[in-house]
């Protein structure tokens, strides 16, 4: 398996030619986040549990001390308290959304979150297509067992990015359809959070249980949202891309859900240009049914034409470009399997809570304090002056 971290992406993709000319100048450092802000301040309940288990709040200056939490991953009483904390945080966030957006969230459902800039390579469309797949399964078999899920999206698109805006349109249309269908009540819910921003993230992250980081492998140089979710006990569902690589290395394969092509495979498909999404569309019943209903009025009866461009982008390509250039259809099967594994594990509460506490315990590596130390040791070489780092 080829694993490339954010440094490799910068050296071999983003700044490939510059790196080949002057490799000694490339000393990329994985960025970090501040536990003082993104854990202690926004998640006081979890902060209190950490203080009780670790003998104080030393992690605020020495985030590596969070590793002490691993010793409690098998402690039933600790896991029960962690479960209560997550439940309380979900209730708080639901109250916030009800007040600010007028939407009642199902707090008995898993909070499955994808919030980030809306861009095709970040593949919000892959998430939406899988939700359509679940919705159609529920329609075909209304008595099927389905772990309740509340899908939470938050994103903004660049003013002139037409495809991104169409994806936002699709997600909101899907939300309207699912949330108004009595069949989905208490089972499926889709909410597009308005005006996603830092202050909203501070409410959302403590309540989140699944962190979707599903960009096309090789496209995300780094990112910090996945670190903030991990720090607050959310489990990552993602590709081997950007900082997901470092998260995988920290938590291990048993505490993250990895799917999809690796960066070298993606590079090969771009280079060879033999990818044919139409063949997947023709042979995969779930994909064909989902996409066909975009156009025939079954899923979006009032706006089939609004979805035609997305259909065209995936199967034909825009302006002579490569169709499905971010491999949504190619990774759909692997993504769907990872979702099934995740939902099976979520029903085993002790297992899921162990995963959550391990993610928090391993988040110390992603401290901005470590980032600054590493910059200083490898680039700045500042010797004098006081430091808390």
């Amino acid at each position: 398996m080829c694993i490339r971290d954010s440094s490799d992406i910068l050296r071999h993709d983003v700044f490939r030619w510059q790196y080949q000319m002057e490799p000694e100048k490339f000393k990329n450092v994985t960025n970090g986040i501040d536990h003082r802000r993104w854990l202690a301040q926004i998640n006081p309940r979890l902060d209190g549990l950490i203080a009780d288990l670790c003998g104080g709040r030393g992690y605020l200056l020495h985030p590596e001390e969070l590793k002490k939490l691993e010793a409690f991953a098998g402690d039933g009483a600790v896991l029960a308290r962690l479960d209560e904390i997550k439940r309380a945080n979900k209730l708080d966030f639901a109250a916030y959304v009800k007040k600010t957006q007028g939407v009642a969230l199902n707090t008995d459902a898993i909070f499955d979150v994808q919030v980030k800039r809306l861009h095709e390579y970040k593949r919000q469309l892959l998430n939406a297509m899988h939700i359509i797949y679940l919705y159609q399964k529920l329609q075909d078999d209304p008595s099927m067992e389905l772990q309740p899920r509340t899908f939470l999206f938050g994103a903004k698109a660049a003013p002139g990015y037409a495809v991104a805006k169409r994806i936002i349109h699709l997600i909101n249309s899907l939300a309207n359809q699912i949330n108004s269908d009595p069949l989905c009540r208490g089972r499926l819910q889709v909410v597009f959070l308005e005006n996603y921003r830092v202050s909203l993230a501070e409410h959302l992250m403590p309540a989140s249980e699944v962190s979707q980081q599903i960009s096309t492998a090789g496209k995300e140089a780094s990112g910090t949202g996945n670190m903030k979710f991990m720090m607050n006990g959310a489990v990552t569902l993602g590709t081997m891309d950007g900082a997901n690589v470092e998260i995988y290395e920290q938590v291990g394969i048993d505490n993250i859900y990895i799917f999809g092509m690796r960066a070298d495979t993606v590079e090969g498909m771009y280079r060879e240009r033999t990818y044919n999404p139409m063949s997947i569309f023709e042979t995969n019943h779930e994909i064909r049914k989902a996409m066909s209903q975009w156009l025939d009025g079954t899923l979006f009866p009032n706006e089939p034409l609004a979805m035609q461009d997305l259909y065209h982008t995936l199967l034909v390509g825009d302006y002579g470009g490569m169709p499905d250039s971010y491999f949504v259809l190619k990774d759909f099967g692997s993504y769907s399997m990872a979702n099934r594994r995740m939902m099976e594990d979520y029903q085993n509460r002790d297992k899921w809570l162990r995963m959550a506490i391990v993610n928090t315990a391993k988040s110390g590596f992603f401290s901005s304090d470590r980032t600054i130390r590493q910059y200083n040791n490898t680039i700045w070489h500042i010797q004098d002056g006081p430091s808390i780092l």
Side-chain angles (χ1 to χ4, degrees), residues 4-254:
R4 301 201 311 158
D5 62 16
S6 54
S7 299
D8 290 327
I9 293 169
L10 289 174
R11 293 185 184 110
H12 302 298
D13 292 343
V14 181
F15 298 117
R16 182 172 64 173
W17 302 116
Q18 294 89 334
Y19 173 69
Q20 290 177 352
M21 290 187 291
E22 299 178 291
E24 72 282 355
K25 290 188 176 181
F26 281 76
K27 297 179 180 179
N28 180 56
V29 176
T30 297
N31 54 5
I33 32 83
D34 186 355
H35 289 70
R36 295 174 286 273
R37 170 74 177 278
W38 290 102
L39 199 163
Q41 183 174 327
I42 72 169
N43 198 343
R45 295 185 181 96
L46 182 57
D47 171 64
L49 176 62
I50 293 169
D52 290 347
L53 298 179
C54 298
R57 292 181 169 82
Y59 82 94
L60 297 178
L61 294 181
H62 304 283
E64 63 276 7
E65 290 190 11
L66 287 170
K67 290 182 179 179
K68 296 177 182 178
L69 294 173
E70 282 192 275
F72 299 95
D75 188 317
V78 170
L79 297 181
R81 185 173 168 190
L82 185 64
D83 202 16
E84 292 171 0
I85 288 170
K86 184 63 71 172
R87 175 68 178 172
N89 289 342
K90 290 172 71 174
L91 291 171
D92 283 352
F93 182 68
Y96 173 82
V97 172
K98 181 67 174 177
K99 179 181 178 181
T100 57
Q101 202 166 323
V103 176
L105 300 182
N106 177 14
T107 54
D108 292 326
I110 186 169
F111 277 13
D112 188 318
V113 181
Q114 187 180 16
V115 291
K116 51 185 71 259
R117 190 78 169 175
L118 203 304
H119 196 293
E120 288 169 273
Y121 85 81
K122 294 180 184 291
R123 299 201 295 190
Q124 287 92 345
L125 188 54
L126 175 59
N127 191 355
M129 284 188 63
H130 183 256
I131 296 170
I132 293 171
Y133 161 72
L134 293 176
Y135 180 43
Q136 290 172 336
K137 284 189 67 177
L138 194 57
Q139 289 179 311
D140 292 340
D141 181 10
S143 62
M144 69 173 286
E145 290 187 14
L146 183 67
Q147 171 66 45
R149 292 175 78 171
T150 291
F151 293 93
L152 298 165
F153 290 88
K156 294 179 181 178
Y161 197 167
V163 175
K165 290 183 176 182
R166 286 195 287 271
I167 294 172
I168 292 177
H169 187 117
L170 169 66
I171 293 169
N172 279 282
S173 298
L174 181 60
N176 291 336
Q177 177 71 17
I178 286 177
N179 298 343
S180 63
D181 189 336
L183 182 63
C184 297
R185 190 169 298 124
R187 306 170 82 181
L188 277 183
Q189 183 179 32
V190 180
V191 177
F192 194 94
L193 299 169
E194 298 172 355
N195 190 23
Y196 183 66
R197 59 205 186 280
V198 169
S199 57
L200 175 53
E202 290 175 328
H203 290 278
L204 170 64
M205 288 176 174
S208 301
E209 295 173 282
V210 173
S211 166
Q212 296 232 18
Q213 309 292 334
I214 60 177
S215 54
T216 308
K219 292 298 180 182
E220 189 77 78
S222 185
T224 59
N226 47 6
M227 304 172 190
K228 296 167 187 172
F229 282 109
M230 169 202 190
M231 178 189 300
N232 284 279
V235 180
T236 302
L237 169 65
T239 52
M240 275 294 192
D241 194 36
N244 290 354
V245 175
E246 285 90 351
I247 292 176
Y248 168 85
E249 291 170 346
Q250 291 297 313
V251 304
I253 190 62
D254 293 332

Side-chain angles (χ1 to χ4, degrees), residues 110 145-149 257 339-353 355:
I110 186 169
E145 290 187 14
L146 183 67
Q147 171 66 45
R149 292 175 78 171
Y257 297 94
N339 267 271
R340 286 197 291 272
R341 293 198 310 272
M342 181 179 68
M343 288 297 92
E344 290 171 0
D345 288 344
Y346 185 78
Q347 295 177 60
N348 182 338
R349 293 306 297 160
D350 282 351
K351 180 176 182 179
W352 185 265
L353 292 165
M355 295 172 70

